Amino acid sequence: MRGPFGTYALGAFFGGLLFVGAKAQMKVSSFDGPVTKEELKSFNDYVVTLKPATDNKGNQWVQGHSGEQTKAMGLVYQMAGQQETLDHMLRFCDAVLSERNDLAKAPVGQHKIWTGGIDPVWPNDVTKKPTQTGGGRRRPLWRYLYGSSRDLSQAGGFLDEQQYLKTITGSFERKQDVLCQGLAYMGGKPVPWNQQMMFNYAFMNLCSAHRILNDNPELLGKYKSILTASIDWFFHGGGVQTKKSKKGSTVYDWCYTVLRTTGEDSNHGALDVAGFYRTYIDGNYDITADQMKPFANMFVDVMTLGKEKYVGTVDGKTDGDGHAKPTKNIRSGYLFLAEFWFDACKSMMSADLSVGGKGTGSADGFSRFLWVKNQRAKAK
């Protein structure tokens, strides 16, 4: 069977359609040592039961279940290279592409957005007229590009590159060295860091595709320079403060958008951290472990107050509502940081996972556990 990525296994397609009954659970074999066959099997047995969202209402393809599940499959495939994991991810990627506003039939698609056109975006609320879009509504794009860049290592892939690039860059401009959104959501204001990470994911995947194909060094260089400028802006352009925690460790403090540098909320902070970590593990953008360690120090020494007690902002000073509300669990983006804090790794992972327990239905959390476990095993 062919989707926009090339050939993928029939088993993944029929497995996704025909499975009935309760979902399997992903289970931890151990917190130490290499990732086990049983852990990988439990992950693949779980994702075969998943069905992709049928639209982006409520940001299902952004930070919603289908978006996080697609990302989890990509991460586990990148780590273990199992074909069945890739097959299931491509099933989701085909779904998200088919639901793009300009491709899908009404009522999922064919909505005029704030530009006046039926543009290639994924609106999350079509009840407002004109339909608004923001950086998050382009995040489904990088899910698709992620699948494409992974699939290129297996077979010839497909990238309608100019169309997708337009959806990222068409609505933004620089004002006084600040990347601003020229759209209905936060129009004329700096793009928040979590949204910059969304764009960076797409550029990263385009870079990966061109490296694999070795077909266009000019475009590769262009995409890399845009991504690198965003990363440099955070680390070297005033996006973050470096401080000392009460425990004496070096920590970061930053805010939701550029020009402010303190008190990012826990929810968006986790998305920011996940974006920087993904760029770090790619290995092509000069982010070092030394640059990542203050994120880990910040979570362990500032945000962690005790067992099942995590503060709502990265500066540890305030607890609010919504995205800044304290949590009893660890937001999954922060789990990546256990790679840089080996002493705290087990306590971070065991906050929501257990050995020999009933398992978990959180694909994003479990995939990050597997990733960090693998990183630790390789480092020993």
Side-chain angles (χ1 to χ4, degrees), residues 40-302:
L40 290 172
K41 183 178 185 301
S42 74
F43 179 83
N44 287 319
D45 286 348
Y46 178 79
V47 298
V48 75
T49 71
L50 301 176
K51 295 182 179 180
T54 56
D55 55 45
N56 191 41
K57 290 180 181 178
N59 279 334
Q60 277 296 300
W61 287 106
V62 186
Q63 278 92 43
H65 291 305
S66 286
E68 290 298 327
Q69 288 161 357
T70 307
K71 182 164 54 177
M73 288 181 257
L75 190 67
V76 173
Y77 173 72
Q78 186 174 346
M79 179 198 70
Q82 293 184 318
Q83 182 69 45
E84 60 182 306
T85 312
L86 178 64
D87 292 340
H88 294 307
M89 180 176 68
L90 298 185
R91 176 166 59 91
F92 272 57
C93 291
D94 280 346
V96 70
L97 178 60
S98 72
E99 295 163 23
R100 203 175 70 186
N101 186 48
D102 60 321
L103 298 178
K105 295 180 180 180
V108 174
Q110 306 306 305
H111 300 282
K112 285 188 177 181
I113 67 167
W114 60 274
T115 63
I118 300 174
D119 288 358
V121 295
W122 288 262
N124 72 335
D125 183 357
V126 299
T127 62
K128 297 179 181 179
K129 304 297 180 184
T131 301
Q132 298 183 11
T133 61
R137 263 58 84 197
R138 286 175 175 80
R139 191 171 191 181
L141 165 65
W142 87 259
R143 311 282 189 210
Y144 175 77
L145 292 174
Y146 189 31
S148 293
S149 62
R150 301 280 76 80
D151 191 38
L152 284 170
S153 65
Q154 299 288 318
F158 169 84
L159 286 173
D160 183 6
E161 186 170 351
Q162 294 304 316
Q163 182 68 67
Y164 301 139
L165 184 61
K166 181 181 178 181
T167 72
I168 303 175
T169 61
S171 302
F172 294 87
E173 59 182 334
R174 275 195 174 273
K175 293 180 179 180
Q176 297 179 345
D177 201 35
V178 175
L179 185 65
C180 295
Q181 304 201 59
L183 61 162
Y185 172 72
M186 291 184 64
K189 296 182 180 180
V191 178
W193 289 114
N194 77 94
Q195 293 187 23
Q196 289 200 41
M197 294 303 109
M198 297 175 196
F199 305 135
N200 289 348
Y201 284 135
F203 285 121
M204 195 186 313
N205 294 330
L206 285 167
C207 286
S208 296
H210 284 299
R211 280 192 202 96
I212 292 168
L213 295 172
N214 193 27
D215 65 338
N216 197 323
E218 182 178 352
L219 268 182
L220 172 58
K222 177 181 179 180
Y223 299 149
K224 183 176 180 179
S225 68
I226 296 172
L227 195 164
T228 301
S230 172
I231 299 300
D232 287 346
W233 195 4
F234 182 85
F235 286 111
H236 306 297
V240 66
Q241 294 185 62
T242 301
K243 300 179 176 180
K244 290 290 185 181
S245 71
K246 292 180 180 179
K247 297 182 179 181
S249 61
T250 301
V251 299
Y252 288 146
D253 186 10
W254 70 100
C255 197
Y256 181 66
T257 60
V258 184
L259 304 182
R260 293 186 292 168
T261 56
T262 187
E264 171 68 294
D265 65 73
S266 172
N267 182 42
H268 288 104
L271 302 176
D272 301 338
V273 165
F276 286 115
Y277 183 82
R278 292 289 309 176
T279 312
Y280 163 74
I281 63 176
D282 184 278
N284 288 289
Y285 304 98
D286 299 325
I287 295 184
T288 66
D290 286 341
Q291 284 178 291
M292 292 299 301
K293 183 66 182 292
F295 284 121
N297 294 341
M298 175 272 301
F299 183 78
V300 174
D301 290 344
V302 177

Side-chain angles (χ1 to χ4, degrees), residues 332-370:
S332 61
Y334 296 121
L335 293 179
F336 284 127
L337 300 176
E339 178 179 338
F340 309 101
W341 245 100
F342 276 20
D343 291 344
C345 183
K346 186 173 181 179
S347 64
M348 288 178 67
M349 295 304 175
S350 62
D352 298 301
L353 299 170
S354 62
V355 176
K358 66 178 182 178
T360 179
S362 172
D364 57 322
F366 193 77
S367 68
R368 291 166 187 190
F369 154 71
L370 293 179

